[in-house]
Amino acid sequence: MPRTLARKDPTAFKTLPLLVEANPDSLVYQGLGLPLNFSQVLGRRRPVQVADARHFTAELANLGVSVRLTLNWQGRDYWVLVRQQRADRGDTVLKLISGYVPSHELNLPLLTAIQEVAEECLVETADGWLGGRFGDTWLPTPYQDTLRYREASHFSLTPLSGAARPVQAGALRLLERPQAYVHLPTASLQLVYDMRMELPGDVRDVSLFHVDERLESGPLVARLDRRRPDLYLLPLEHGQPTGALFTLRKGELVKAATRGLWLSESFAEQDGWLVRDERIRFRDWLDSLPPANGNSGKGRRTA
């Protein structure tokens, strides 16, 4: 049976709609209007139209963050993906670790990003669960009331190189240079941070699990289901994604099926600052990638 880890009041979450101004060289966003709770945000996530993909001003429903997380396991790099049933869109996809940015962190979306890693990517070892650290900042241990976190060991997050075009929160430039795109079907601005996760050398029997919050007749409930880890590793070859997919259970890679698999919009083609698709087939995305030798391919990935 799934294990309940936490319950939250969805009305406690507050964020702000956004005013976004973009030109070919940069993008600026700022909060707009009155705070919204979780249900109100979902109600505003409806399709918007933008005429020019590189130069526009738009009012959007919310700011979201994603983490393109690279894990080194036994000498090989893997992207970390999580499975999500998206009730608001009626589908199931693999996606990057992601979440909504609350109003008090609109100018510090990096903080939301690392908190999402702590909440969504759970690392179990033979000696307990791992907490994490980003530079000098300790990540929260959101399930410490129900899980036993190790005190003497932790995983480390480090930033990887950012995007070429700068993004600003008002007058404040985001130093980590996240990739940014406006997702037209949900009227949202998404910032994608590249990070690397390093596990301590003394860990044994590592298992990876995804935990996501779901709205259940009132509260937001986070549950751990050991039968469905819902966290996947996509191996990289010379930095390029391959066609395989695995879960990690007690230190062993277990191959996962990819037939009929869909990826979220962060993997779809980006035109200027815009992403128009809701999702993309895994095989279509692989076909769109440039060859590993660096020559241009048929398309361009955004994730």
Side-chain angles (χ1 to χ4, degrees):
M1 291 290 292
R3 181 180 181 183
T4 300
L5 300 183
R7 296 177 183 271
K8 293 181 182 178
D9 179 1
T11 63
F13 173 85
K14 300 291 183 182
T15 192
L16 286 172
L18 298 180
L19 177 66
V20 173
E21 299 175 278
N23 61 52
D25 301 316
S26 64
L27 181 145
V28 180
Y29 71 86
Q30 57 186 326
L32 179 70
L34 298 175
L36 305 175
N37 63 32
F38 187 69
S39 296
Q40 291 170 324
V41 170
L42 293 181
R44 292 178 66 115
R45 285 165 59 89
R46 297 179 178 179
V48 294
Q49 300 295 324
V50 173
D52 188 333
R54 290 162 179 79
H55 198 290
F56 58 86
T57 299
E59 294 185 11
L60 302 178
N62 70 283
L63 175 65
V65 291
S66 298
V67 179
R68 188 184 296 113
L69 188 62
T70 300
L71 170 69
N72 186 274
W73 175 252
Q74 296 182 341
R76 187 171 189 181
D77 283 347
Y78 298 83
W79 276 355
V80 175
L81 308 179
V82 297
R83 182 178 181 272
Q84 184 183 46
Q85 291 180 304
R86 304 189 297 187
D88 59 331
R89 290 181 246 180
D91 62 10
T92 299
V93 296
L94 293 191
K95 68 180 188 72
L96 304 178
I97 292 169
S98 59
Y100 297 93
V101 179
S103 55
H104 63 278
E105 293 176 0
L106 284 183
N107 291 336
L108 289 170
L110 174 64
L111 184 58
T112 306
I114 63 175
Q115 289 173 344
E116 289 298 326
V117 174
E119 291 181 1
E120 292 196 24
C121 179
L122 299 191
V123 183
E124 185 181 29
T125 74
D127 302 308
W129 300 82
L130 292 183
R133 187 167 177 166
F134 180 88
D136 295 329
T137 302
W138 287 100
L139 274 62
T141 49
Y143 312 118
Q144 60 183 352
D145 292 338
T146 50
L147 300 179
R148 182 174 62 86
Y149 287 88
R150 294 180 61 179
E151 295 183 0
S153 192
H154 63 274
F155 64 80
S156 298
L157 294 180
T158 54
L160 297 176
S161 59
R165 295 182 294 182
V167 176
Q168 290 182 207
L172 179 66
R173 179 168 292 190
L174 302 183
L175 298 179
E176 303 81 15
R177 302 179 76 91
Q179 173 200 340
Y181 66 86
V182 171
H183 188 226
L184 295 181
T186 57
S188 61
L189 173 64
Q190 197 76 15
L191 304 179
V192 183
Y193 288 87
D194 270 297
M195 298 185 193
R196 173 177 287 274
M197 173 186 280
E198 296 286 349
L199 301 181
D202 63 346
V203 294
R204 297 177 294 112
D205 299 337
V206 176
S207 297
L208 299 177
F209 297 93
H210 170 55
V211 170
D212 197 15
E213 295 174 334
R214 296 185 183 181
L215 195 60
E216 297 184 1
S217 302
L220 282 168
V221 181
R223 287 194 172 93
L224 170 66
D225 189 345
R226 291 184 175 278
R227 297 171 302 175
R228 300 185 64 176
D230 283 350
L231 190 148
Y232 298 88
L233 298 180
L234 179 67
L236 305 179
E237 192 74 43
H238 304 296
Q240 189 79 344
T242 68
L245 202 64
F246 299 91
T247 58
L248 183 61
R249 305 189 188 193
K250 295 189 179 298
E252 298 293 332
L253 291 171
V254 180
K255 194 167 186 178
T258 60
R259 185 175 181 180
L261 190 65
W262 290 81
L263 303 175
S264 72
E265 75 281 346
S266 64
F267 294 84
E269 184 177 359
Q270 180 171 342
D271 175 21
W273 294 104
L274 305 181
V275 171
R276 296 181 172 86
D277 295 325
E278 291 267 17
R279 63 194 73 82
I280 184 172
R281 289 185 186 274
F282 181 69
R283 289 298 168 188
D284 291 343
W285 173 71
L286 287 175
D287 290 342
S288 75
L289 296 176
N293 62 11
N295 294 333
S296 60
K298 293 186 293 183
R300 178 176 58 183
R301 63 175 172 84
T302 63

